[in-house]
Amino acid sequence: MKLLHLIAEELRQGKEAFRRFPLSMTFAIMAAIFQCLWLHHDEAMILNASPILFSAVSIIGFFVTTSSYLYLETVREKENFHSLLIGTWMWNFLFLVVSGYRLAAMGKDGIDIYFAMPTLILFAASGLMVFCGGKIHDERRFPAYVLVLIIEIAVAYLYAFVLFGALCLLVVGADVLFGIVDFSSAVTYLATLCFMPIMATIFLSRLSAVESGHKPYGAGIHVINNLFNNILAPVLSLYVLLLYVYLAKILILRQLPTTSVVNLILWPMALAVFVLFMVDHNRDRTAAYYFRKIIPQAALPLLGLMYYAWFLRVHQYGLTENRYMIFALGLWVAFAMVHFIIQKRELHMILPMILIAVLLVSVFGGPIGADRVAFRSQKKRLDRILAVFIETYHP
């Protein structure tokens, strides 16, 4: 009876997710359907395009519509709500059309749409919108809201993973014992089912409890706060000290930095931004307090070292999309560190919003987008190589 009660509760929550986020759930189901069509026959075409294109656009649609629903709930009491409602859904429509056009252009060039950098960037940017949508008018509680959403994403993923494992066990049994199911082909369909519509349903059904405060997050938040305050903050502080020892070695021995230092600085500093974001409210004189005081200033010279190493690499081999993104994300990290230096209030929603803008510019920036800039850089490099070749062998 307890199992039946649990199933009934999950179904009730799933119904709530459909009621509150109808378009989001529709996009999640569409993403799974289109991906299954592509898995069934990778040469299938829908409206002269691969189903994988529609699946990718549906994933983006899931994120942006969820963000829009959360945003509209915060402005429901405003006098101009109807104007905001129309403007929000028009923006959703235009964003999906432009995203679909951008991804379709990549597909025509023979690029693997799902794993291309612009697609992953669009997934990241639209996913970040979900974090901003619900608290765009309540910035002071934004860090706590982000933390709770991360917990809910982890819970939804855990549910989906357990369900996926259980279904795989059943399919393996049916395959080995009776030979009625081919596990090797069924496993991809099971993954699609569990990690798209089912995971989306679990996540969305728990959002109402997030905002109403009905879920007991005290223990989970306490554990994560300990992780940030007592583990990540001290470890990152020691790591920054290690980088300064390396910087001193470069200055004393007058060596050029290795190009690997770019990633060794950028990603830990990006993690440091997230840690600063989560511990900025802490005013107790703990490790996190001194981390908050010291790291923003200490990070800026290290970012300068990173850009110097980045410039050496670009000077040798030109600019690529990866190096463009490193440059852009480095600017965002530098902006975040300056923000933590000069901002005395805990109004940090500007950080994910600026990151979203950076990601979208890299995809839709036209002449300053990642692909166009990288193309021009590599073309100039090849022109120089060709000119040297001609001068050398055909004087």
Side-chain angles (χ1 to χ4, degrees), residues 81-300:
F81 173 73
H82 291 292
S83 299
L84 293 173
L85 178 67
I86 295 172
T88 299
W89 292 120
M90 286 185 62
W91 179 88
N92 274 264
F93 176 75
L94 291 175
F95 185 79
L96 290 178
V97 169
V98 173
S99 298
Y101 179 81
R102 179 72 171 85
L103 298 183
M106 292 193 307
K108 291 179 180 178
D109 293 336
I111 300 173
D112 186 355
I113 293 176
Y114 242 11
F115 300 102
M117 180 176 288
T119 308
L120 299 178
I121 291 173
L122 284 174
F123 287 167
S126 55
L128 284 171
M129 293 177 191
V130 177
F131 289 89
C132 297
K135 293 295 178 183
I136 198 165
H137 296 297
D138 188 12
E139 294 189 2
R140 290 191 178 277
R141 290 192 292 176
F142 182 59
Y145 181 73
V146 169
L147 185 56
V148 170
L149 280 189
I150 291 173
I151 294 174
E152 290 301 347
I153 291 171
V155 169
Y157 179 83
L158 181 61
Y159 270 97
F161 183 79
V162 170
L163 179 61
F164 173 67
L167 292 177
C168 283
L169 180 62
L170 293 176
V171 173
V172 167
D175 184 17
V176 174
L177 298 176
F178 304 104
I180 59 175
V181 179
D182 182 7
F183 174 76
S184 60
S185 60
V187 65
T188 53
Y189 293 98
L190 290 177
T192 299
L193 176 67
C194 292
F195 293 104
M196 284 187 177
I198 293 179
M199 183 175 172
T201 303
I202 295 170
F203 173 67
L204 295 180
S205 66
R206 297 172 66 89
L207 277 183
S208 58
V210 169
E211 295 170 358
S212 63
H214 292 160
K215 291 289 182 179
Y217 295 105
I221 291 178
H222 178 71
V223 170
I224 296 177
N225 277 334
N226 279 335
L227 173 67
F228 284 114
N229 287 278
N230 301 323
I231 297 178
L232 285 177
V235 169
L236 282 172
S237 299
L238 292 174
Y239 185 80
V240 167
L241 180 61
L242 185 66
L243 290 175
Y244 266 92
V245 172
Y246 176 71
L247 177 60
K249 174 188 173 184
I250 291 174
L251 294 176
I252 293 172
L253 300 181
R254 297 183 179 181
Q255 295 177 340
L256 292 176
T258 61
T259 53
S260 61
V261 79
V262 171
N263 289 316
L264 291 174
I265 291 176
L266 177 61
W267 304 115
M269 292 303 99
L271 177 60
V273 171
F274 185 60
V275 175
L276 287 165
F277 177 83
M278 299 309 303
V279 306
D280 190 48
H281 64 280
N282 192 335
R283 296 295 183 263
D284 298 330
R285 294 190 177 272
T286 60
Y289 174 83
Y290 295 104
F291 180 84
R292 168 70 179 83
K293 287 290 186 181
I294 297 171
I295 291 301
Q297 293 91 337
L300 295 179

Side-chain angles (χ1 to χ4, degrees), residues 295-368:
I295 291 301
Q297 293 91 337
L300 295 179
L302 295 177
L303 290 171
L305 174 63
M306 182 203 77
Y307 274 119
Y308 181 58
W310 175 88
F311 174 78
L312 294 177
R313 190 70 171 178
V314 170
H315 181 70
Q316 290 176 320
Y317 301 105
L319 197 63
T320 63
E321 287 186 71
N322 288 338
R323 294 178 193 131
Y324 175 100
M325 291 308 303
I326 287 174
F327 177 83
L329 291 175
L331 286 182
W332 175 76
V333 172
F335 169 82
M337 293 303 180
V338 172
H339 168 80
F340 282 114
I341 292 172
I342 65 176
Q343 179 61 266
K344 301 305 181 183
R345 296 174 298 169
E346 299 168 11
L347 303 179
H348 301 323
M349 189 176 286
I350 189 174
L351 298 180
M353 294 179 72
I354 292 296
L355 179 56
I356 291 170
V358 168
L359 295 175
L360 293 181
V361 166
S362 71
V363 177
F364 301 119
I368 60 172

Side-chain angles (χ1 to χ4, degrees), residues 21 23-25 27 58 60-71 89 91-92 96:
F21 304 97
L23 276 179
S24 302
M25 287 303 308
F27 275 120
S58 296
I60 297 170
F62 168 78
F63 288 130
V64 295
T65 53
T66 301
S67 173
S68 296
Y69 280 123
L70 294 173
Y71 165 71
W89 292 120
W91 179 88
N92 274 264
L96 290 178

Side-chain angles (χ1 to χ4, degrees), residues 40-76:
H40 179 69
H41 183 49
D42 59 0
E43 298 296 329
M45 299 293 287
I46 301 175
L47 301 176
N48 296 321
S50 171
I52 206 68
L53 167 65
F54 294 99
S55 180
V57 173
S58 296
I59 292 173
I60 297 170
F62 168 78
F63 288 130
V64 295
T65 53
T66 301
S67 173
S68 296
Y69 280 123
L70 294 173
Y71 165 71
L72 289 172
E73 289 179 354
T74 66
V75 297
R76 189 174 298 276

